[in-house]
Amino acid sequence: MSSSLDASRLEALLESAQLLHSSLNIEDLLRHLLRSVMGRLLVGKALIAVEEDEIIRVALARGLPKLTVGEKFDEGVARASGLDLILPIGDLAHPTGFLALGRPLNRDVGDEEIEFLRALLGIAASGIENARAHAESNKLNKALDQKVQELKTLLDLVRGLTSNLEPDDVAQLLVLTLAGRWAVRRRALIAWKKGHPVVLRMKGMKLGDLADYEKYEEQVLKMTEAVRVADMAESDLKTKLREVQAEVVFPIDAGDQTTGGIVVLGPRPGNLSYADSDLEFGMGLVAQAAVAFQHSWYFREAVEQKKVEQELALAASIQQNLFPARLPKMTDLELAARNRPARTCGGDYYDALQISGQTHLICVADVSGKGLPASLLMSNMQATMRALLGRIPSLTELATLTNSLLYATTPDNKYITAILVELDPETGKGRYVNAGHQDCMLMRADGEVEWIKSTGTPLGLMAPDIIELMAPYSEKSFELHPGDVLALFSDGVTEAHDEGENEFGEERLAEFLRPIRTEPAETLVDKVFCEIDRFAGSAPQYDDITLFVIRRTA
């Protein structure tokens, strides 16, 4: 008889294990566990409590009207409610929860049944952990999907913006992207630049005299971040936005007092609110559009002057002349460099400037943005460096003063990342300042790689007093030994994409250079460009590509 009972319990245990592990929903799992135990022991009241945020709380209760689901589990309260048998779920020292049972009708729970319950609860503990892991995985996947969708939306918008040179097209693409993101039916956009027609896009929202932007221009230009209308300070603009039942406002900040604008969105369906993350994401899209507006207005001005092609060709020619016609000859060093812009004009820059004797300053820089505006800022960078060289005793002071000059003469949304290397070819000793630039590579003769990382913020990005107080530029040193290769490059090298949007990457660059590191510098530059083209395939070049290679031969 005992053997039959053991087999029965084992069969029931296996059946319960299958059912408990077949569900990844913790509520379904707990309900099945409670039903199984109550049905097997014929008890009229029971509860299950599980850990939640490091507190064990009642998750299910049957026949216990005075106990509330969600309240903290108290063993004394449970026993006072007639729950005589309380067993831990999982590890005794750190249980996942507890099972509490009332007394079966006219009998006690025997040792064999308690042994069965303990085995069942051990199985249930692993099922609970699996369900929790699954829930957490779903939560993380959902958050990841959200980020992927946001990045895809941003990428699609950027691609669309780069192909549009009309302010009206930029406005249309922006409002459709924002409205589609949150299924908003009522929206409006107004953007302007002095000397150009006001750009207006409205649907389901009559802004009326807001089209006369001069009335609200001062208030709009003071806005720097997205804001809910309810959180705005009282003003004529807020009154108008209330009248049209606007919910949020995104300022179009082009970093120029002659331009401005706002995007206004109405309520979301189902009375959903705009979260802070929504405002942040929307502001990122609008920031991209702000740059596109600037470019489109610049382009329109060029078209109106009927000199677009001539000016772009002239700018490209001038820009090419800004690069050194030939690199200097240095003792025991090979130098080679190449730049390939993504468009007619680019924003990358490289140079080799003599300091004294054979000591040179090697510079590779990357201007934010693309096209003509970036090339103009690049020429400003070159003029600044050449004017200061020889007058400034250290690289840190050179970077600090360059930052001050660029910050004072460039828009807030423009800046330059740069790596400055002072190199003595006779000793191979060098020092550098990396101003927020791409990590660059020092490959030793044995193939080992050292990364030249950032030692300061981009040039022109932050005010000089903030730089001095919070993030002063620092200098680091290195030494080139025979066979060592120093590769300085812009992010167009490592961020080159193939048709599947995969990046070329730093590790791929290192692995490609390692077996050919003994070849001449000019050959290394040629082969890296060929490898990038092979990797990219038919994918377009999105960013300027610049590579400067220095190899010590002896």
Side-chain angles (χ1 to χ4, degrees):
M1 185 67 172
S2 174
S3 174
S4 174
L5 286 175
D6 289 344
S8 173
R9 289 194 187 93
L10 180 59
E11 183 178 351
L13 193 63
L14 291 174
E15 181 181 353
S16 295
Q18 290 176 341
L19 291 172
L20 288 173
H21 284 275
S22 66
S23 175
L24 291 175
N25 183 297
I26 192 167
E27 293 180 358
D28 292 343
L29 186 152
L30 295 178
R31 279 195 292 267
H32 170 73
L33 177 62
L34 196 60
R35 282 197 304 267
S36 299
V37 173
M38 293 181 71
R40 183 175 183 83
L41 300 182
L42 299 178
V43 297
K45 50 187 175 181
L47 70 77
I48 293 179
V50 294
E51 184 180 6
E52 179 183 343
D53 297 329
E54 299 184 354
I55 298 176
I56 296 180
R57 301 181 184 277
V58 176
L60 286 178
R62 297 289 185 269
L64 299 164
K66 294 184 179 181
L67 290 182
T68 305
V69 171
E71 70 180 51
K72 184 177 179 180
F73 174 72
D74 186 308
E75 183 174 344
V77 173
R79 293 191 183 280
S81 301
L83 301 177
D84 300 320
L85 180 59
I86 300 177
L87 298 174
I89 301 174
D91 182 53
L92 183 61
H94 301 285
T96 301
F98 292 96
L99 170 67
L101 302 171
R103 185 184 299 275
L105 186 63
N106 298 326
R107 70 183 184 88
D108 293 326
V109 179
D111 293 341
E112 292 182 347
E113 289 175 316
I114 291 178
E115 182 181 355
F116 170 81
L117 290 175
R118 291 189 186 278
L120 180 61
L121 293 177
I123 295 171
S126 63
I128 291 171
E129 291 304 316
N130 289 340
R132 282 176 171 168
H134 179 72
E136 183 66 20
S137 175
N138 284 341
K139 181 180 178 181
L140 293 175
N141 285 337
K142 185 176 180 181
L144 180 60
D145 288 343
Q146 175 79 3
K147 290 298 181 184
V148 169
Q149 289 302 316
E150 289 181 355
L151 290 174
K152 185 178 183 300
T153 300
L154 180 59
L155 181 60
D156 290 342
L157 177 67
V158 171
R159 285 175 173 170
L161 292 174
T162 56
S163 64
N164 284 290
L165 293 174
E166 285 296 324
D168 287 339
D169 294 338
V170 173
Q172 180 76 350
L173 181 59
L174 176 60
V175 293
L176 288 178
T177 302
L178 290 171
R181 172 67 182 172
W182 296 295
V184 176
R185 301 180 62 183
R186 304 172 61 194
R187 66 263 187 179
L189 176 147
I190 176 172
W192 67 82
K193 179 178 176 63
K194 300 292 186 182
H196 291 263
V198 177
V199 180
L200 288 172
R201 278 290 179 275
M202 302 183 192
K203 184 172 182 180
M205 187 178 289
K206 301 296 183 181
L207 293 179
D209 60 2
L210 186 60
D212 182 12
Y213 70 88
E214 292 182 353
K215 181 177 180 181
Y216 304 103
E217 180 179 7
E218 184 177 353
Q219 299 171 48
V220 170
L221 289 175
K222 290 181 179 179
M223 300 175 65
T224 58
E225 297 293 340
V227 62
R228 300 175 185 86
V229 174
D231 297 335
M232 292 175 63
E234 293 299 328
S235 64
D236 295 339
L237 178 59
K238 181 175 181 178
T239 300
K240 187 62 187 179
L241 294 173
R242 279 175 171 167
E243 290 177 5
V244 297
Q245 299 180 350
E247 290 279 335
V248 292
V249 181
F250 298 93
I252 302 173
D253 182 10
D256 182 352
Q257 291 299 305
T258 66
T259 62
I262 53 174
V263 181
V264 181
L265 299 183
R268 297 177 62 184
N271 295 321
L272 295 174
S273 61
Y274 290 91
D276 290 342
S277 58
D278 294 329
L279 301 187
E280 182 181 353
F281 174 68
M283 200 63 213
L285 298 182
V286 174
Q288 294 291 331
V291 176
F293 274 122
Q294 282 284 57
H295 288 175
S296 66
W297 279 316
Y298 284 137
F299 184 79
R300 176 178 282 185
E301 290 169 356
V303 170
E304 289 172 355
Q305 296 172 12
K306 299 180 180 180
K307 295 180 180 179
V308 175
E309 292 183 3
Q310 296 92 329
E311 290 185 0
L312 287 176
L314 178 61
S317 175
I318 293 173
Q319 184 180 26
Q320 284 303 312
N321 291 330
L322 294 177
F323 291 104
R326 62 182 60 85
L327 294 174
K329 299 292 185 181
M330 296 189 189
T331 304
D332 298 333
L333 291 180
E334 295 175 349
L335 277 68
R338 186 183 303 175
N339 163 263
R340 188 171 71 194
R343 303 179 191 170
T344 305
C345 298
D348 280 5
Y349 162 66
Y350 72 83
D351 212 341
L353 307 173
Q354 185 177 15
I355 299 175
S356 63
Q358 287 205 35
T359 301
H360 282 71
L361 176 69
I362 310 298
C363 175
V364 171
D366 185 355
V367 179
S368 63
K370 305 283 187 301
L372 186 57
S375 68
L376 293 174
L377 184 54
M378 186 267 274
S379 64
N380 189 8
M381 162 77 174
Q382 188 209 45
T384 301
M385 295 294 299
R386 295 199 172 203
L388 296 177
L389 193 66
R391 303 180 183 181
I392 308 300
S394 70
L395 289 181
T396 54
E397 291 176 271
L398 177 62
T400 300
L401 187 51
T402 302
N403 174 76
S404 299
L405 294 174
L406 292 175
Y407 184 82
T409 58
T410 57
D412 292 342
N413 61 343
K414 299 294 183 183
Y415 57 87
I416 301 173
T417 69
I419 181 163
L420 311 176
V421 177
E422 183 179 311
L423 188 60
D424 182 351
E426 294 182 357
T427 63
K429 293 182 178 180
R431 51 197 181 111
Y432 68 89
V433 168
N434 185 332
H437 193 70
Q438 161 82 38
D439 291 353
C440 291
M441 181 194 306
L442 173 56
M443 180 171 286
R444 297 300 183 183
D446 61 2
E448 289 297 315
V449 170
E450 299 173 14
W451 294 103
I452 299 179
K453 297 182 176 294
S454 175
T455 62
T457 59
L459 302 173
L461 178 64
M462 299 175 66
D465 54 344
I466 297 178
I467 291 285
E468 183 177 357
L469 180 64
M470 300 181 60
Y473 294 100
S474 62
E475 177 183 291
K476 292 189 177 182
S477 60
F478 65 92
E479 184 172 349
L480 282 182
H481 303 291
D484 290 350
V485 175
L486 178 62
L488 311 176
F489 45 88
S490 64
D491 57 10
V493 172
T494 54
E495 294 179 7
H497 284 71
D498 64 9
E499 297 94 333
E501 297 297 330
N502 301 300
E503 288 189 354
F504 189 72
E506 295 174 348
E507 293 305 318
R508 194 188 307 272
L509 176 63
E511 290 303 317
F512 178 75
L513 281 175
R514 187 170 285 113
I516 62 172
R517 62 187 182 276
T518 58
E519 298 189 28
E522 188 70 37
T523 302
L524 295 180
V525 171
D526 290 341
K527 288 190 174 182
V528 168
F529 269 79
C530 289
E531 177 63 13
I532 291 173
D533 291 341
R534 185 203 64 77
F535 171 80
S538 61
Q541 180 181 331
Y542 291 113
D543 202 359
D544 305 328
I545 298 176
T546 299
L547 174 62
F548 198 126
V549 170
I550 305 168
R551 180 174 175 275
R552 189 162 193 195
T553 58

